[in-house]
Amino acid sequence: MNYSRFEKWMIILQIGILFLLSGLLYYEMTKRLDAGNAKIIGTITFKQRTVQRKYASRVVWEDMEQHFPLRNKDSIRTATAADAEITLNDGTKIQLNENSMILLNLDEDKTNIDFAYGSLSAQNAGSGDSKIQIKTGETSVSVGNGDVKLSKEEGKNLSVAVEKGEAEIVSLGKESQKIGSDEKATLQGSDGKLEIKKQELKQIAPNDLARFYTQENLQTVNFEFQSNPTYKNSKLEISQNSGFTGNIVSEKITGSNFKKSLKEGVYYWRLKSEEEISSVRKFTIYKTKSVDLVSPSNGQKIGAAEETVYLNLLWSKSELSSNYKLEISDTKDFGKLIQSTTTMVNSISLPLGKGKYFWRVVSTDPSGTILTSSVFSFNISEADKPKPPTLFNPQPGSNIDLVLAEKTGIRFNWSSTSSSSEFFLSQSPKFESVILQKTVDGNFLDIKEKLPAGIYHWKVSLKNKDGSIGESSAVRSFEIKTLGTIKLHSPKEDVSFSSKDVYFSGIPFSWEKLSYTGNYQLQISTDSSFSKIVKSYSSAQNKLTIKDLDEGEYVWRVVLLNSDGSVLISSSSQKLTVTSPLISSKNFETGEPGSEEEIPDLKLIFPSEGQTLNMTKSNSIRFRWSPVPGIKEYRFRLFNGKKEIYSVVSKNAQVDFKKLDLLDEGEFRWTVASADSGKPGENTSTFKVELDAILEEVEVLSPDVQYEE
């Protein structure tokens, strides 16, 4: 296809706009929110699963990764089965349990935390009189040097447990009260009544939100605790859910420690007696493994046309490692490193020369254990010579019409194995004399030179970078001669079709496919001169099926149109007939007679074939058909698939169907026949039933207030 200069520029402009919009979309989807000039106050030193943050000036939450910086006024929240560790610049650590949310608000001498919901632990590492202020609603907790844990779930009381040091709590403007080490305070009711109690069941290890890393299938966990010997039925419980249903361990306390080997997963543990239940602590066991190398694959051979190539190396991502060290060597023992690069992403592109290489990736889990991947090798060598082109069109031995060749030209195309090819055309099979030789950037060529009738030979050769001609394709030949017409394949001359067959199956037309660019047009007329064309269909292919031809006698032909709409070549014409369903119709290929199937002149009116009925606000369906003289009663039947679900005899050409409980969403079929068994056949049609979607009330699960200032 030839394009004008304007069309070429328009195509280039559209492609440029597409790339620009795609780039903007990618940037918008992947960019991080801008925090402005907010001060960095700490980092996410560990996160598991979904942890999100929101800037004070934004309403959008974004996912966080390990070692992300945190800024003043950031809101942090965790999802189900997630937890996070925040380390502030002064060394203070804040542990967020699953389904928790806080707002960080720091000034010069004080760390303020607005606690919305969930569970958190704070370890104050500040010096001197520095304190952490944790505010939730009308209650504030001040923590000096020590550890404190707060829990606040929906519909439950606020719980404050001090494991080390001292905390001070103020609620509803009342006088502050101090909570000492190993004490637990519970704020009850809306009146702010505070109950402080010494914890006799004391958990020592593992700490809340502790993490264990192992390369084995099981990890041995040592539980340490203290209990009151006077307490009855004291137990240690371990579960994989915070509600302690289906406990893994329920062990009677006989000493101050207990060991248990557990597999990878999230666990909760507590101490329980008839007199007291301790706080719930959570710990996680991670099974660590080295990353998997992806590309290049082991033993892969890479062809390179240049001395140095940029090779992309890819490996699997580790959720526990914050960075990776890529090592490349020319020896399997990595005694000498050619490349040693540290990166935070799981792929990198590096320039490498030709030769054999070995590569691996070293990662480190949060416990400091070094994990080394398996070793893969790859070989960069001289690229294989490109294969010679394969010729596609014109097909070998094909005939090309002389008139068409002069009007539209001839398109040659072949497989492209290089950016440039050399085209040859000759009337000699050995190319002793060449009619046309042309350098082509691509894999097709349109020849519009006037070529006389005769046999032609063509081939395509590779074009090397230095301009020399490389290996050639096979030689193909074709003939230019006067063909005259397009050959018609089907339907055969003077074939008849039932109007029902036309409606449901259509008439398949097919004809000879020519080696030219252009559109075929199927023309159907009521006269052999085609002065009255009743139907006209365009197609780029050499076949077409039509279903909208009424009863009657027709003549059809196929013409090939030029780009300006002029006729390039035409077929001869053939007759066909569309008959009433009761008139015997000939089989398309064999010409054998058909059978009587439908009642003449009885047409199903409503619902029409394939119509969709919305029954949300309707309580009946009126089925209607055209009355037929001589028929006094009609048999109406309704089907769901092959099963008949309703049947009735009607004297009128309609039925009011009100048993809508027999219908559901989907497709149904209905038929009408004469109630007189002596009358022939029945008419059938299908329709669909649909209902509007039922809108459900949306329940808002987010808290009414996320934080207050």
Side-chain angles (χ1 to χ4, degrees), residues 486-490 508-514 520-522 537-545 556-559 571:
I486 302 173
K487 293 181 181 179
L488 302 180
H489 294 161
S490 64
F509 292 86
S510 64
W511 54 90
E512 176 187 13
K513 184 173 179 63
L514 303 177
Y520 297 101
Q521 188 177 79
L522 169 64
Y537 309 88
S538 294
S539 174
Q541 304 299 321
N542 63 323
K543 56 185 177 181
L544 193 66
T545 299
W556 70 282
R557 70 180 181 186
V558 175
V559 298
S571 71

Side-chain angles (χ1 to χ4, degrees), residues 503-504 607-613 667-668 670 685-688:
Y503 182 81
F504 287 102
S608 60
E609 174 62 30
Q611 184 174 354
T612 299
L613 305 179
E667 185 175 85
F668 297 87
W670 63 293
S685 182
T686 61
F687 67 97
K688 294 180 181 178

